[in-house]
């Protein structure tokens, strides 16, 4: 069947919304009018099975007590999106029991060292039960993406996107799920960050070297020796300061470097680092919000957010215009799934999604207990990989590889 992103219902979002299309949520063709029967089960309490005695890591995960943070109330939840979940029935699809059996593992650890979730069994842990219910409220990066400074407001947003503060505020505003972006650092740690690059400036004092040397006068030189900068903005620097934009991918940073950038740019009293972003796709502007919070790791998200808050984890990779070697891609995905296995409670509703067709296929082959969804720009943006360029291509990939469905951008 053909589907259209125009059918989604988006409210209160200045940025791009998303619509969710499910493949075979209701696998009984006679129940097309009640296709959310299994999706609605996600709102019911889940009772975890005891862990398999052979899996110490699974036992630790099952006994973990998640800590929750206070969620101050929000006056107006104007930046969360309301998503209409549209089921796409598949005639002749496997029964729910068969679908559950298909997710079972051999009970042996994988060659990569990942702990296979062999203790997960029973109808209450079918993939459909982890999905958002019909008309779920999903907070995009928490309370919406930061849109950037305006002529009347120099701040880029109210609350920094993709932070625990933003996720907790979304939950307090009534969000059933939050969407967040997961990338992997140089040393293999999953962290939360959306953009392909993390751009920043380091404010350092310009050293005045006085005296009458060979040049016969005073010289000034920046103490910065960073590489990879894209621009210099002397007009934005204060007296005696020089600003130079440094650009790094998350894959170029260790966890320690990522956390240092996070602290120095958000909650550090001196604020020696300023994050930058091309909000208009043309020029860098300071990315400073009125309420700041540090950039979290995936472990912190899984550990500290309320269990009642579902997570749509978008697995991000820099493969929009060039392919990543499959071994490298698989290694990053394994790091993400390992983190989820070790730190998530079985009662947590999680959906895994990605714009990367190769990543979706790899994740599906690993047979996680969670549903896997293909993200697509629906042809609004064209890529060398044709699997990214239409809803039909995404739908075909999802059906061929046993994904749970397709998530489309709604423009």
């Amino acid at each position: 069947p053909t589907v259209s992103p125009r059918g989604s219902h988006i409210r209160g979002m200045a940025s791009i919304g998303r619509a969710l299309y499910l493949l075979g949520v209701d696998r009984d063709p006679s129940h097309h009018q009640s296709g959310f029967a299994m999706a609605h089960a996600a709102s019911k309490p889940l009772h975890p099975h005891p862990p398999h005695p052979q899996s110490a890591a699974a036992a630790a995960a099952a006994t973990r007590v998640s800590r929750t943070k206070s969620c101050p109330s929000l006056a107006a939840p104007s930046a969360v999106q309301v998503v209409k979940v549209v089921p796409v029935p598949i005639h002749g699809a496997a029964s729910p029991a068969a679908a559950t059996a298909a997710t079972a593992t051999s009970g042996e650890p994988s060659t990569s060292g990942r702990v296979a979730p062999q203790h997960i069994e029973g109808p209450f842990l079918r993939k459909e039960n982890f999905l958002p219910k019909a008309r779920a409220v999903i907070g995009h990066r928490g309370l919406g993406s930061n849109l950037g400074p305006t002529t009347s407001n120099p701040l880029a947003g109210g609350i920094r996107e993709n932070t625990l503060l933003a996720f907790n505020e979304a939950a307090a505003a009534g969000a059933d799920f939050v969407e967040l972006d997961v990338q992997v650092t140089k040393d293999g740690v999953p962290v939360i960050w959306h953009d392909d690059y993390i751009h920043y400036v380091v404010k350092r004092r310009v050293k005045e070297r006085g005296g009458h040397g060979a040049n016969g006068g005073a010289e000034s030189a920046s103490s910065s020796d960073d590489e990879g900068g894209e621009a210099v903005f002397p007009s934005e620097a204060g007296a005696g300061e020089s600003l130079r934009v440094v650009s790094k991918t998350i894959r170029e940073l260790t966890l320690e470097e990522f956390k240092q950038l996070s602290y120095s740019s958000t909650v550090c009293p001196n604020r020696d680092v300023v994050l930058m972003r091309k909000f208009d796709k043309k020029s860098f502007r300071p990315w400073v919000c009125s309420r700041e919070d540090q950039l979290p790791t995936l472990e912190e998200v899984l550990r500290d957010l309320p269990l009642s808050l579902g997570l749509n984890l978008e697995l991000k990779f820099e493969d929009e215009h060039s392919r990543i070697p499959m071994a490298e891609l698989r290694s990053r995905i394994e790091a993400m799934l390992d983190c989820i296995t070790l730190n998530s409670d079985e009662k947590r509703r999680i959906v895994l999604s990605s714009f990367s067709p190769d990543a979706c296929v790899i994740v599906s082959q690993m047979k996680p207990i969670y549903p896997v969804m293909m993200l697509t720009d629906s042809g609004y943006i064209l890529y060398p990989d044709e699997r990214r360029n239409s809803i039909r291509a995404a739908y075909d990939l999802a059906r061929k590889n046993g994904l749970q469905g397709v998530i489309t951008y709604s423009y």
Side-chain angles (χ1 to χ4, degrees), residues 155-207:
L155 297 175
I159 297 177
R160 179 167 294 280
E161 66 183 53
N162 268 334
T163 60
L164 291 174
L165 177 60
F167 302 144
N168 275 315
E169 290 280 18
D176 303 292
F177 268 69
V178 289
E179 182 270 349
L180 53 148
D181 307 278
V182 185
Q183 301 190 50
V184 177
T185 63
K186 183 178 182 179
D187 47 350
V189 180
V191 298
I192 310 305
W193 181 260
H194 173 270
D195 296 0
D196 291 338
Y197 289 87
I198 180 167
H199 305 287
Y200 61 95
V201 296
V202 180
K203 295 188 290 185
R204 294 187 174 96
R205 286 289 170 181
V206 174
K207 296 180 180 179

Side-chain angles (χ1 to χ4, degrees), residues 12-17 79-81 139-148 156-162 166 179 181 194-195 277 279 287 289 409:
M13 277 287 289
S15 60
I16 298 170
V80 293
Q81 64 188 68
H140 186 228
R141 306 182 205 171
L143 285 174
S145 56
N146 300 144
L147 300 181
I159 297 177
R160 179 167 294 280
E161 66 183 53
N162 268 334
E179 182 270 349
D181 307 278
H194 173 270
D195 296 0
R277 188 187 237 177
F279 294 98
W287 188 359
C289 298
Y409 264 138

Side-chain angles (χ1 to χ4, degrees), residues 25-266:
V25 166
D26 178 17
R27 298 180 184 273
D28 185 346
S30 65
H31 295 165
H32 287 172
Q33 298 303 317
S34 59
F36 296 113
M38 295 183 184
H40 277 304
S43 62
K44 298 179 181 179
L46 300 179
H47 304 285
H49 262 248
H52 193 282
Q54 297 179 356
S55 175
T63 57
R64 178 183 296 278
V65 178
S66 296
R67 301 191 300 274
T68 60
K69 290 188 174 182
S70 59
C71 302
S73 59
L74 189 67
S78 59
V80 293
Q81 64 188 68
V82 178
V83 178
K84 181 180 180 181
V85 184
V86 183
V88 182
I90 299 179
H91 296 278
S95 66
T100 303
T103 65
T105 67
S106 63
E108 297 295 331
S110 68
T111 56
S112 64
R114 294 182 59 246
V115 178
Q118 65 271 20
H119 64 284
I120 305 299
E121 56 184 37
F124 62 91
L125 283 177
R126 285 195 292 260
K127 292 182 186 292
E128 291 86 349
N129 290 351
F130 291 98
L131 292 167
K133 59 186 178 181
R135 299 183 181 276
V137 178
I138 302 177
H140 186 228
R141 306 182 205 171
L143 285 174
S145 56
N146 300 144
L147 300 181
T150 64
T151 54
S152 59
N153 186 358
L155 297 175
I159 297 177
R160 179 167 294 280
E161 66 183 53
N162 268 334
T163 60
L164 291 174
L165 177 60
F167 302 144
N168 275 315
E169 290 280 18
D176 303 292
F177 268 69
V178 289
E179 182 270 349
L180 53 148
D181 307 278
V182 185
Q183 301 190 50
V184 177
T185 63
K186 183 178 182 179
D187 47 350
V189 180
V191 298
I192 310 305
W193 181 260
H194 173 270
D195 296 0
D196 291 338
Y197 289 87
I198 180 167
H199 305 287
Y200 61 95
V201 296
V202 180
K203 295 188 290 185
R204 294 187 174 96
R205 286 289 170 181
V206 174
K207 296 180 180 179
E208 296 292 341
R209 299 190 299 197
H212 301 278
N215 295 329
E219 297 177 327
S220 64
S222 173
S223 63
S224 173
D225 56 0
D226 292 316
E227 298 179 355
E230 295 189 3
V232 177
F233 299 96
S235 60
E236 296 183 10
E241 291 182 344
S242 177
L243 300 182
R244 181 172 183 266
V245 176
V246 180
S247 301
K248 301 285 187 181
T249 65
I250 296 299
R251 197 61 178 168
E252 294 176 303
L253 300 173
T254 64
L255 175 63
E256 182 180 1
E257 292 168 335
F258 177 82
K259 279 299 189 180
Q260 184 60 52
L261 280 174
S262 167
Y263 172 76
S264 300
S265 63
T266 58

